Amino acid sequence: MAETTSLINEPDVDFHLKLNQHSFNIPYEQLQRNSRYLNRLIEKEIDELNSHYERLNIALGSGNIEGDKKALQELKDIIRSVEIFEKRLQKRVNEEVPILKRLEVRINFFKELENAKQQVADITPLMEWYLKFTNILIGDYLTRHTTSNSSPELGLPGVTFLEQEGIQDLLDTDILLTGNRISTALVDNHDLRPLLDWINDSKSYLKKNGSRLEFEARFQQYIELLKASEYEEAIKCFQDYLLKFVNTNFNELTHASGLLLSINYCKEIMKAKASERSAILTKDDGNPLENEIRAYKYFFHKKPKIVEQQHVKPVDLSYMNLSQNTDFEKYMLLLDDKRWGLLNELFLKDYYSLYGISQNDPLLIYLSLGISTLKTRECLHHRRVAKSSSPLVDKKVEEEVLQNSCPVCDKTFAPIAESLPFAHHTQSQLFDDPIMLPNGNIYEAKRLKRLAKYLVDIKAIELGETEVIDPIDKQIYNEADFITMYPT
C-alpha cells in the first residue's frame, strides 16, 4: 500500500499488515484445509459412484428379473450416496462462508486505516482505528489466558469482550480457544486425547515440518499406560504407534523397552518417596526444631510446599544395582510429570506455527514497541537519594521532584522493558535552561530555584536568597556555582 503522511508519527499500513499476517494466515489455512477435505471427499465419491455404475451395468446386462432388481437397488444406492454427498458438500460450504466473511471484514479494517491516514487534517478516524485495534489486542490477550479455572459466570471473557465491541470477526478466537483447550488438557488434566485428535488432523503438516510431536505424544501415552499397569495396552501402543519411529528415535525406543522391564521397580521408588514425604510432613511428636520441615511447621503453622530430596530415603534395590545405573535414572526422568509441560511447549510451538501465530502475546509485543521508543539509559536504575537532617525536606522533595512518572520504570512495565534495547535519539530532549551543579547533577535552573523557594516558604529549611538544594544528595549550593549546559 502507498505510504501517506499523518499528523502523528505512527507506522504505515504495510507495517501493520506484516505484524498482523496471522489475521489472514489463519483463515487462509482454514480454507486450504477445507479445500483439501473437499478434494478427498469428491475423489471418494467418484470412486464409489464408479463402483455403483459398474455393478449397475452388470445387473442390467444380465437380462433377467433378478438382475433388474439388483439394478433398481443400485440406483437407489446411487441416489442415497449422492444425497449424502450433497449434504456433506453443503456443510463444508456453510463452514467456508463465515471464513470468507472474516477475510472481507479484515481487508476492510486495514482499508479503514489507509483511508484514515489520508485524512491529514483530522486525526479522529485514525485514533478510532487505533482504539479498535487496541481492543483486538486486549481480546486476544483475554482469549489466550482463559483457563479451566475461570468463573462459569464470566464465560469466555475474550469472546464476550470482542462481541460487545462488535469486532469478533477481526480475531480467530476459535483457533486460540482450541489451542488453549488442548494445552489445558495436557498441563492440568494430563489428558492426551485432545492432542492426539489434533495430531491425526494435522499429520501432513507435522510430517512436512519434521515435527517430533506425534512421537512424543505417543511416547507419553505409552508411559502413562505403564504407570497404570496396563501392560498389554502399553505393548500394543508400542507396536502400533512407536515402532514406526525406529529409524529416527532409536535411542528413545530403547529406553521405552527398558522402561517396560523396570517399571515396577520405578513405581516402588516413587511410592517410597511419596510415603517418606508424607511421613515427614505429618510427624508432630518430639522436638519441633528437629529438622527443617518440622521447624517450618512450628513457626509458620503450615506444611512446606516442597520437601527437599535429601529427606527421602531410596528404596533398597542394591541387588540389581539399579540406583547406580544411568539408564535407570533415565527411566525415572521419563516418569516425571515435567514431561507434560515439555509436551505442551512442543504442541504450542507446532500449533502456532501452523497458523502463523506468534507464541508471544501481541498485546505485549505492541507494548514492547512503545516502551522501546521511550527507554533511555536512565531508565530502570534505582537512584540512591541521600537523607537530609529534615524529614519534611525529604518528604517534599520525594513528592514534588523525585516522583517517577516514567512508564518504562513503572513496576507494571519494567519486566517487559528490561530486555529491550535503548531508544535511539538523534536530538537531545533537554529543558530550556539546563545547569550542572558542582557534583555533576543536571537540573532545570527555574525548577531548582522554585524548589528552594517552596521549601523556604513552608519552613522546611533555611536557605539564602541565592542558595538552592540538590534533591539527590541534599547538599546546598550557590547560584554562582551553576555551570550552564548546552544541548549537543
Side-chain angles (χ1 to χ4, degrees), residues 339-355:
R339 279 184 55 86
W340 288 100
L342 298 175
L343 184 61
N344 178 57
E345 291 178 8
L346 188 58
F347 157 69
L348 290 177
K349 179 182 176 183
D350 285 336
Y351 185 79
Y352 286 141
S353 176
L354 170 63
Y355 294 107

Side-chain angles (χ1 to χ4, degrees), residues 3-6 8-17 19 113-114 117 126 129-130 133 366 369-370 373:
E3 185 176 353
T4 56
T5 305
S6 173
I8 60 176
N9 185 21
E10 29 74 32
D12 59 17
V13 180
D14 288 338
F15 172 85
H16 284 290
L17 284 172
L19 209 56
L113 173 61
E114 188 177 32
K117 289 173 70 66
L126 188 60
W129 188 91
Y130 273 109
F133 183 71
Y366 272 84
L369 289 172
T373 63

Side-chain angles (χ1 to χ4, degrees), residues 92-287:
R92 288 292 165 175
V93 171
N94 292 339
E95 289 178 356
E96 277 198 3
V97 171
I99 298 175
L100 293 171
K101 179 188 174 184
R102 272 186 276 172
L103 277 173
E104 183 180 5
V105 170
R106 292 169 195 191
I107 291 171
N108 291 333
F109 179 63
F110 285 98
K111 283 184 177 179
E112 288 177 14
L113 173 61
E114 188 177 32
N115 294 333
K117 289 173 70 66
Q118 292 173 353
Q119 300 181 35
V120 180
D122 183 12
I123 66 170
T124 303
L126 188 60
M127 300 305 295
E128 290 177 351
W129 188 91
Y130 273 109
L131 177 60
K132 187 184 293 186
F133 183 71
T134 303
N135 287 335
I136 295 172
L137 297 180
I138 294 172
D140 179 282
Y141 185 86
L142 291 173
T143 304
R144 285 174 183 249
H145 294 275
T146 298
T147 65
S148 57
N149 297 325
S150 300
S151 172
E153 293 80 9
L154 295 176
L156 300 172
V159 176
T160 303
F161 175 77
L162 293 169
E163 289 176 349
Q164 289 174 346
E165 297 296 324
I167 52 178
Q168 63 272 19
D169 288 329
L170 293 173
L171 186 67
D172 299 284
T173 52
D174 53 337
I175 299 298
L176 295 176
L177 289 172
T178 298
N180 202 351
R181 176 176 57 82
I182 297 173
S183 178
T184 301
L186 290 174
V187 177
D188 294 346
N189 305 324
H190 292 181
D191 184 2
L192 283 166
R193 287 171 297 179
L195 174 61
L196 293 176
D197 290 341
W198 182 80
I199 288 174
N200 287 332
D201 293 337
S202 310
K203 273 190 175 181
S204 58
Y205 171 80
L206 296 174
K207 184 177 180 180
K208 179 182 176 182
N209 288 272
S211 172
R212 289 176 52 90
L213 182 60
E214 183 181 2
F215 171 78
E216 294 295 345
R218 292 299 182 182
F219 197 3
Q220 190 64 37
Q221 182 184 19
Y222 170 78
I223 292 171
E224 294 304 311
L225 289 171
L226 289 180
K227 288 165 72 173
S229 300
E230 298 179 16
Y231 303 120
E232 290 184 6
E233 289 297 320
I235 293 172
K236 188 175 185 302
C237 175
F238 186 91
Q239 293 172 336
D240 293 346
Y241 302 115
L242 292 177
L243 273 181
K244 63 182 179 180
F245 294 101
V246 66
N247 293 328
T248 55
N249 301 87
F250 180 78
N251 291 334
E252 289 93 334
L253 292 181
T254 302
H255 290 124
S257 303
L259 182 61
L260 178 61
L261 300 175
S262 307
I263 185 63
N264 287 330
Y265 301 107
C266 293
K267 286 196 288 188
E268 284 296 325
I269 287 183
M270 293 171 66
K271 183 178 178 181
K273 288 180 178 180
S275 177
E276 187 71 18
R277 288 192 186 97
S278 177
I280 291 173
L281 290 173
T282 56
K283 185 178 179 181
D284 288 324
D285 57 326
N287 182 7

Side-chain angles (χ1 to χ4, degrees), residues 416-431:
I416 302 176
E418 282 178 349
S419 58
L420 296 176
F422 296 111
H424 178 63
H425 293 283
T426 58
Q427 185 177 0
S428 299
Q429 303 291 325
L430 292 178
F431 12 82

